[in-house]
Structure formats: structure tokens, C-alpha cells
């Protein structure tokens, strides 16, 4: 009897709890006061906003209907969120990472994969890691990496040249169709391996290195569409996954084992070597991020409480691999895709690149000459326009998300609309209750027609010569775009990837012509915006393009 009473007591309490959170509390949620798209009880608005096929249109329509501060629903009525396309609100959110943290759910997923590095740490821990890493990304240190990036670009070019030559022998065709995304990603892995810890994956050559495979398989497992309930479990009951691992969890653990073994040893070796050199009274010359992190950690200027551990170092190297390889290769691959589909723009860019090409070719330049060539390269206006335009139009990070850790007033610059769709006069802020998610619409801002003009969704590099004043409002760290985010949690690798993108564009475009295939390419948001061939999603992310060696037009004969 008392057992039944206890059970029914629990049931009543549970029902009351559910009713309260599903039906009662949401009514008092201040976000309910502002305009937003219709939603069902458990039918939120996320899908349309996160899928690159529909997101630009959805943002556009919402802004026109509901203004720039928009209430959207996540998974249920307890999950009302703020989608802001108001530049002032965005700036407030990104400038105050102590109020607006990354949600613990996504941090758990990332930490479970690569450890708690800069990408997923919060608070003091993040500040400490960022402070130690910042000197490694100084302009001077990045410059040291330029010759290596040139070398890797040249290796990729040579590889493609021999592949087209082979194709030419077997089929008499001088062109070749290849998965540009995959090939470029092999090269960007090589670059980040050397730049990260002075380690050669040699992935352009072949994909057999154990550490390379460990990273690659682990990142692929991370973005593959696994069973949703498994993902939920790994967030809410992480021990369950450890006790009852499925195929994917076992793969991740195997990869982590390899990484811990091989990369952990690299950290140890590097530390020994550095201490050895220092004990001889010399200064240590290593230029890779690992050496620079160790150096920065050992610097006398760093307060003892700001130093980081061996584990932290490994987690941050993992983070650079994770945050720096696919993002760079995707931005390059999408740029080649856009250029292939705009042959006029492609040849105009090629002409600009050829105009600074040394007569002897780029292959046998000294390091100094390569740096001089890179300086010339980074001053090319059309190349800069192309890179900005491509990163604006297809940002690899489609959007991000933050959670309010306390009740907050978010300032607004544009009028706020009420539930009835009418402007609430005099309202200059939006109340965001503790625990609410705020969406950071990277692509949303980048493609905003009211800011960039009617042609905002087109690839038009010339727009950068005469930008509308309005885009100055957008607080991004890169050319008024949000592609690398903004504020204390913005991308630390921005300059690094610009070096990579510009160098690779230079080397590959002066050697090859890029031509689209008949396959239709779609953008799919799986952690990053990736290319898929239409109707062949099962084959995984790929971007087939046809390349053919570029033949400079022979001088007109008389
Ligand atoms: C085109 C290439 C890249 C793009 C578009 C990009 C974009 C971004 C964005 C949008 C964020 C903020 C993420 C968020 O708030 O949710 C971010 C953070 C970060 N990126 Fe990048 N990234 C690129 C390349 C790189 C490279 C090459 C590296 C490293 C070598 C790197 C390292 C990082 C790190 C460590 C963070 C976390 C920073 C922090 O939280 O303090 N990224 N990146
Ligand atoms: C950073 O410096 C502290 C104090 O000198 C040291 O204990 C720690 O091991 C260092 N971290 C790494 C990764 O070398
Ligand atoms: C870069 O441009 C300067 C000035 O035009 C020129 O003197 C130099 O040779 C160029 N560097 C290379 C490597 O082509």
C-alpha cells in the first residue's frame, strides 16, 4: 500500500514537473514577448536555419517578418532561443564569453574526442590556454611557415601533374577528374602536421601514416551521422558509452590510443630536446606550434598560475589538428568550386597571379625569395577580393551557438518586434533568461541582403571594391564577415589559414584550369559546410572537379 502511494506520489510529481516545464514556465519566458516564426509543440525551427540549402532564405524571410531579434524554438517549449541578426546584440554576445559560454553539450562532445583544448575550455582555463598559444600565432612566427606551405603546395601540384600525365597516357585526355576536397585536405593535414608539431604525415604522398589515419578516422567518426540516441547518450550519460561501446566508440578509443602514444611521445621528445638546448645556454629555434607553446609556457613573463600542463599541450595540438585541417581544406575546395563555375573570374585571377610569377618559376626559389613572392602575393587586390568573397559566401563554419549563464539584457540596434509582429516602440534590448541558447548566425550575417545588397547570395568578388556602408556594422574579425567569428573566442588560426589559402591558390591556379563536372554539388552542414554530390550522399563528402594543366597562350606568331 505504502509502496503504491510512493509510486503514485512520484508519478504525480513527475507529471507536475513536466506540465510546469512544458506548459506553464514557457508562458513567463521573456523571449515569448518577441516575434518569431510559428512552431509546433515539439516541432522547432532549427532544421530550416541550420541546413545551408534553406538557411539563407529562411534568415531573409524571418528578418523581413520579425525584425532582427527573433525568437526560435529548439526541441520543445522549454527551449525558446534567441536568433539575433542584430549587429549590436551579436557584438554583445561575442564580447562577453563569461556570460555567453559554449553549451556544455557541445563541449562534452568535443572534449570526449580531442580533450579539453582551447575550442572547448571555458573561463580561466580557456584564458590560460589562449594566452599561452597567442604568441605562437604572431605575424612573425606565421611568416616562418610560409616556405613550408609553398613546399607543400608545390608537392600537391607535382602530384596532380603526374596524375594528369598518367591519365593522358592511358586515355589521350589531358584532363582528369578528382575529388578536390580530399586532395586538398591531404595537403592541409600535411601543413598543420609540420606547423603543429614538426611532424610529417606525408599524406600527399600516401595515406598510410598511423597518426594521420588516427586523426582522420576520428574526425570522420565525429561528423558521420551516427545513431542519434547514441549521441544523446554520449552527451547525457557519457559513462554509458564507455561501458557499452558501439563500433564508433571503439574506433574513437582506438584512434585516441594511437594519438596519445605517438603524439604524446612527440611532446615528450620535443620537451627533452628543448631542455637540452637551453641547458647548453643556447636559445631554442623550433618554429612549430608545439615548440612555441612550450617556449611560451616556459617564459619568465608568464605568471605561475597561467602555466599549462603536458596534457593541455596535447589537447591543444589535437585542437589545432581538428580546428585547422578541415576548415582550411573546405574553404580552398569551395573556392576552386566557385572559380570552376565562373571561368571568367578564374582566368582574370590567373592573369593577376601570373603577373607576379618569377620568370624562373616558383620551384627553385630561396627562402628569402619565397617570402618576397608571398609579400607580392598578399598585396594582390583581386586575389584578396576572391578570398574574402569565397569565405563570405560559403563560410566553413555555418553557425555557432552560445548559452546565457545568467539573465541578461541584450542591447539592440534595430527595432524589436512583439509577438503580434508590430514594432515595440522605444524597446532597445531583449531579455534573455539564464539557460537560453543564442544562435550565432555566421552565414546569416554573411549573406544578409539588407546589409550586402540584393546580390548578397552571388559570387561577386568585385563587390569588395565598393562595399555598402552598412556592412561596417558587422563585428567580424575578418573583413566584416563572421567567417572567423569575433571577440575573445574568435578563430586564433585566421592568419594561418589565409597564408595557406592564398599560397595554394597561387600554386594550383597558375598550373591548372578548374572545370566543373556534370554532377550537381550540394552544401551539407555536418559540423562544417561540406560538399556532397547530389543524390550520392551515401558516398560521403566529396567535390569532384576536372583539372587540366594550364598552358600559357603562346605569343602571337607573325
Ligand atoms: C578557413 C579556415 C578557418 C575558419 C573558417 C575558422 C573558423 C573558426 C570559427 C568560426 C571559430 C569560432 C568557433 C565558435 O565560436 O564556435 C574558430 C575557432 C577556433 N579556430 Fe578556427 N577557423 C579556420 C582555421 C583555423 C586554423 C588553421 C586553426 C589552427 C591552426 C584554427 C584554430 C581555431 C581555434 C583554436 C579556435 C578556438 C578559439 C577559442 O575558442 O579561443 N582555425 N575558427
Ligand atoms: C609549463 O610550465 C610549468 C612551470 O614551469 C611546468 O611545470 C609545466 O610542466 C610546463 N608545461 C609543459 C607542457 O611543459
Ligand atoms: C616582388 O616584387 C618586387 C617589386 O616588384 C620585385 O622586386 C621582387 O623581385 C618580387 N619578388 C619575387 C620573388 O618575384
Amino acid at each position: 500500500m505504502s509502496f503504491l502511494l510512493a509510486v503514485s506520489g512520484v508519478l504525480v510529481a513527475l507529471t507536475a514537473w513536466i506540465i510546469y516545464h512544458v506548459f506553464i514556465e514557457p508562458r513567463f519566458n521573456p523571449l515569448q514577448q518577441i516575434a518569431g516564426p510559428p512552431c509546433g509543440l515539439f516541432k522547432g525551427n532549427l532544421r530550416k536555419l541550420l541546413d545551408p540549402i534553406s538557411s539563407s532564405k529562411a534568415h531573409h524571410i524571418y528578418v523581413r517578418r520579425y525584425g532582427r531579434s527573433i525568437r526560435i524554438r529548439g526541441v520543445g517549449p522549454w527551449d525558446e532561443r534567441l536568433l539575433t541578426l542584430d549587429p549590436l546584440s551579436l557584438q554583445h554576445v561575442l564580447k562577453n564569453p563569461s556570460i555567453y559560454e559554449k553549451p556544455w553539450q557541445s563541449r562534452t562532445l568535443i572534449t570526449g574526442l580531442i580533450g579539453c583544448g582551447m575550442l572547448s575550455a571555458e573561463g580561466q582555463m580557456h584564458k590560460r590556454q589562449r594566452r599561452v598559444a597567442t604568441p605562437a600565432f604572431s605575424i612573425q612566427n606565421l611568416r616562418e611557415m610560409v616556405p613550408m606551405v609553398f613546399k607543400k603546395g608545390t608537392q600537391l601540384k607535382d602530384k596532380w601533374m603526374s596524375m594528369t600525365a598518367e591519365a593522358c597516357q592511358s586515355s589521350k585526355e589531358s584532363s582528369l577528374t578528382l575529388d578536390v576536397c580530399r586532395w586538398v585536405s591531404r595537403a592541409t593535414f600535411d601543413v598543420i602536421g609540420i606547423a603543429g608539431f614538426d611532424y610529417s604525415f606525408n599524406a600527399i604522398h600516401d595515406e598510410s601514416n598511423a597518426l594521420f589515419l588516427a586523426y582522420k578516422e576520428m574526425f570522420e567518426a565525429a561528423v558521420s551521422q551516427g545513431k542519434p540516441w547514441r549521441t544523446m547518450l554520449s552527451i547525457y550519460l557519457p559513462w554509458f558509452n564507455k561501458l557499452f561501446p558501439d563500433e564508433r566508440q571503439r574506433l574513437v578509443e582506438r584512434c585516441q590510443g594511437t594519438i596519445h602514444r605517438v603524439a604524446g611521445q612527440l611532446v615528450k621528445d620535443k620537451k627533452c630536446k628543448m631542455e637540452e638546448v637551453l641547458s647548453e645556454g643556447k636559445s631554442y629555434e623550433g618554429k612549430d606550434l608545439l615548440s612555441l607553446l612550450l617556449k611560451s609556457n616556459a617564459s619568465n613573463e608568464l605568471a605561475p598560475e597561467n602555466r599549462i600542463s603536458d596534457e593541455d599541450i596535447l589537447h591543444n595540438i589535437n585542437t589545432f589538428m581538428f580546428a585547422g585541417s578541415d576548415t582550411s581544406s573546405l574553404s580552398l575546395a569551395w573556392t576552386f568550386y566557385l572559380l570552376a563555375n565562373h571561368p571568367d573570374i578564374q582566368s582574370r585571377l590567373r592573369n593577376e597571379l601570373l603577373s607576379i610569377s618569377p620568370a624562373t618559376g616558383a620551384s627553385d626559389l630561396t627562402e628569402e625569395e619565397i617570402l618576397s613572392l608571398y609579400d607580392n602575393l598578399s598585396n594582390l587586390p583581386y586575389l584578396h577580393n576572391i578570398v574574402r568573397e569565397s569565405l563570405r559566401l560559403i563560410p566553413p563554419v555555418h553557425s555557432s551557438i552560445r548559452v546565457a549563464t545568467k539573465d541578461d539584457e541584450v542591447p539592440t540596434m534595430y527595432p524589436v518586434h512583439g509577438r503580434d509582429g508590430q514594432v515595440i516602440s522605444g524597446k532597445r534590448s531583449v531579455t534573455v533568461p539564464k539557460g537560453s541558447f543564442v544562435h550565432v548566425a555566421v552565414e546569416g550575417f554573411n549573406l544578409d541582403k539588407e546589409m550586402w545588397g540584393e546580390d548578397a547570395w552571388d559570387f561577386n568578388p568585385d563587390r569588395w571594391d565598393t562595399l555598402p556602408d552598412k556592412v561596417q556594422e558587422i563585428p567580424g574579425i575578418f573583413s566584416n564577415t563572421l567567417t572567423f567569428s569575433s571577440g575573445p573566442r574568435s578563430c586564433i588560426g585566421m592568419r594561418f589559414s589565409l597564408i595557406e589559402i592564398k599560397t595554394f591558390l597561387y600554386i594550383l591556379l597558375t598550373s591548372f584550369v578548374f572545370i566543373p563536372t556534370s554532377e550537381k554539388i550540394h552544401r551539407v552542414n555536418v559540423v562544417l559546410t561540406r560538399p556532397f554530390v547530389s543524390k550520392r550522399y551515401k558516398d560521403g563528402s566529396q567535390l569532384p572537379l576536372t583539372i587540366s594543366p594550364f598552358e600559357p597562350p603562346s605569343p602571337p606568331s607573325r
Side-chain angles (χ1 to χ4, degrees):
M1 195 55 193
S2 59
F3 173 71
L4 272 184
L5 260 180
V7 168
S8 43
V10 168
L11 278 181
V12 169
L14 196 67
T15 316
W17 188 82
I18 291 175
I19 290 179
Y20 177 74
H21 283 286
V22 174
F23 297 104
I24 301 177
E25 193 192 31
R27 290 180 182 274
F28 300 102
N29 187 330
L31 285 171
Q32 287 266 4
Q33 308 303 317
I34 64 171
C39 51
L41 195 55
F42 296 104
K43 193 173 168 296
N45 311 107
L46 297 185
R47 187 177 285 185
K48 249 191 195 162
L49 289 168
L50 295 180
D51 181 351
I53 291 184
S54 52
S55 55
S56 44
K57 205 163 169 189
H59 284 113
H60 183 64
I61 293 175
Y62 289 0
V63 166
R64 277 204 312 210
R65 282 200 195 139
Y66 313 114
R68 292 190 167 270
S69 304
I70 305 159
R71 176 208 54 77
I72 56 170
R73 176 165 293 181
V75 282
W78 60 88
D79 185 16
E80 300 288 15
R81 306 181 178 194
L82 174 66
L83 164 65
T84 178
L85 288 146
D86 186 302
L88 190 61
S89 309
L90 175 79
Q91 184 166 12
H92 174 83
V93 168
L94 293 180
K95 254 196 171 164
N96 290 294
S98 57
I99 306 178
Y100 294 95
E101 293 189 341
K102 300 191 178 177
W104 67 265
Q105 291 89 336
S106 53
R107 286 165 46 211
T108 304
L109 278 182
I110 294 178
T111 303
L113 209 64
I114 54 175
C116 193
M118 218 190 306
L119 201 57
S120 54
E122 282 291 348
Q124 265 326 105
M125 183 165 178
H126 172 263
K127 275 207 185 113
R128 195 166 62 222
Q129 298 196 357
R130 181 116 189 173
R131 192 172 297 142
V132 173
T134 298
F137 289 89
S138 71
I139 295 184
Q140 185 49 40
N141 280 330
L142 292 181
R143 227 180 128 69
E144 306 272 356
M145 297 180 185
V146 168
M148 179 273 288
V149 179
F150 260 82
K151 195 167 127 202
K152 281 294 162 190
T154 310
Q155 273 178 19
L156 182 61
K157 179 203 82 180
D158 291 343
K159 181 84 189 177
W160 284 4
M161 276 298 173
S162 66
M163 285 162 68
T164 46
E166 251 169 57
C168 187
Q169 271 182 353
S170 60
S171 69
K172 299 278 170 276
E173 295 251 357
S174 65
S175 64
L176 175 71
T177 299
L178 45 75
D179 179 357
V180 168
C181 200
R182 169 142 188 191
W183 276 102
V184 172
S185 123
R186 287 166 70 161
T188 54
F189 247 99
D190 271 3
V191 167
I192 192 80
I194 297 176
F197 37 31
D198 189 16
Y199 184 77
S200 298
F201 294 122
N202 278 325
I204 297 179
H205 185 61
D206 68 57
E207 296 179 293
S208 64
N209 177 284
L211 188 57
F212 169 77
L213 288 174
Y215 276 122
K216 190 175 139 80
E217 284 176 7
M218 187 168 85
F219 298 162
E220 274 172 8
V223 302
S224 66
Q225 308 292 49
K227 304 182 195 78
W229 66 270
R230 268 279 174 185
T231 314
M232 290 310 254
L233 273 179
S234 63
I235 294 175
Y236 291 94
L237 299 171
W239 51 267
F240 181 89
N241 251 355
K242 295 239 161 63
L243 275 179
F244 306 102
D246 62 346
E247 194 55 43
R248 177 165 146 169
Q249 178 66 18
R250 273 196 291 268
L251 173 89
V252 167
E253 281 171 17
R254 216 167 39 238
C255 295
Q256 283 171 333
T258 308
I259 291 169
H260 206 89
R261 193 164 39 82
V262 185
Q265 192 59 43
L266 287 173
V267 176
K268 284 206 193 81
D269 292 349
K270 185 70 71 184
K271 235 172 129 167
C272 282
K273 203 165 141 201
M274 203 169 123
E275 273 157 18
E276 207 180 287
V277 173
L278 290 180
S279 70
E280 289 167 9
K282 295 183 220 146
S283 71
Y284 185 66
E285 293 298 324
K287 297 295 180 203
D288 52 289
L289 297 177
L290 172 57
S291 298
L292 295 165
L293 285 182
L294 288 170
K295 232 198 244 177
S296 162
N297 180 60
S299 149
N300 291 332
E301 285 156 35
L302 204 65
E305 69 273 18
N306 286 332
R307 296 185 195 266
I308 62 177
S309 67
D310 281 18
E311 281 288 289
D312 281 348
I313 292 261
L314 183 58
H315 294 162
N316 272 318
I317 294 293
N318 287 348
T319 301
F320 297 148
M321 299 296 306
F322 183 68
S325 55
D326 276 6
T327 43
S328 303
S329 60
L330 283 168
S331 55
L332 267 162
W334 283 120
T335 309
F336 287 124
Y337 167 80
L338 290 166
L339 291 171
N341 285 288
H342 295 85
D344 300 351
I345 297 178
Q346 184 182 156
S347 53
R348 189 172 147 201
L349 174 60
R350 183 175 295 104
N351 287 339
E352 189 189 57
L353 297 173
L354 289 169
S355 76
I356 59 150
S357 274
T360 54
S363 306
D364 32 41
L365 297 182
T366 64
E367 292 212 344
E368 249 114 274
E369 287 166 332
I370 288 179
L371 284 174
S372 152
L373 180 59
Y374 184 73
D375 288 338
N376 297 352
L377 196 61
S378 52
N379 286 328
L380 291 178
Y382 198 57
L383 175 63
H384 195 45
N385 283 358
I386 301 263
V387 171
R388 290 187 284 187
E389 181 66 350
S390 159
L391 285 168
R392 179 191 72 84
L393 190 62
I394 313 185
V397 178
H398 176 273
S399 44
S400 189
I401 192 167
R402 296 291 186 270
V403 61
T405 56
K406 60 174 197 138
D407 293 352
D408 191 38
E409 281 297 313
V410 178
T412 57
M413 178 167 172
Y414 286 87
V416 179
H417 297 240
R419 279 178 77 95
D420 57 0
Q422 301 303 312
V423 170
I424 308 176
S425 76
K427 194 166 167 62
R428 282 273 162 267
S429 68
V430 174
T431 311
V432 173
K434 176 177 175 176
S436 315
F437 289 123
V438 178
H439 278 245
V440 178
V442 172
E443 192 215 58
F445 274 98
N446 282 5
L447 299 185
D448 195 318
K449 286 189 173 180
E450 287 178 13
M451 303 218 165
W452 296 90
E454 264 312 298
D455 67 348
W457 299 353
D458 304 336
F459 182 60
N460 174 15
D462 286 328
R463 80 171 70 248
W464 292 91
D465 294 332
T466 47
L467 279 188
D469 290 338
K470 242 189 162 35
V471 304
Q472 305 290 341
E473 292 170 2
I474 307 176
I477 57 165
F478 178 64
S479 302
N480 307 110
T481 71
L482 265 197
T483 303
F484 295 95
S485 188
S486 180
R489 302 295 308 244
S490 61
C491 181
I492 200 171
M494 178 188 86
R495 286 205 201 91
F496 185 104
S497 43
L498 290 176
I499 292 178
E500 213 172 352
I501 293 170
K502 286 191 171 177
T503 304
F504 275 53
L505 284 178
Y506 169 75
I507 294 175
L508 295 173
L509 276 170
T510 51
S511 306
F512 299 98
V513 179
F514 292 76
I515 306 149
T517 67
S518 56
E519 317 255 32
K520 195 162 165 40
I521 306 293
H522 279 305
R523 307 171 197 186
V524 182
N525 181 6
V526 267
V527 185
L528 299 171
T529 299
R530 296 168 199 271
F532 281 75
V533 170
S534 167
K535 303 206 183 74
R536 280 176 39 205
Y537 296 96
K538 287 246 155 52
D539 298 350
S541 174
Q542 54 174 326
L543 179 53
L545 289 179
T546 302
I547 59 168
S548 105
F550 168 71
E551 317 271 355
S554 41
S557 49
R558 281 196 239 169

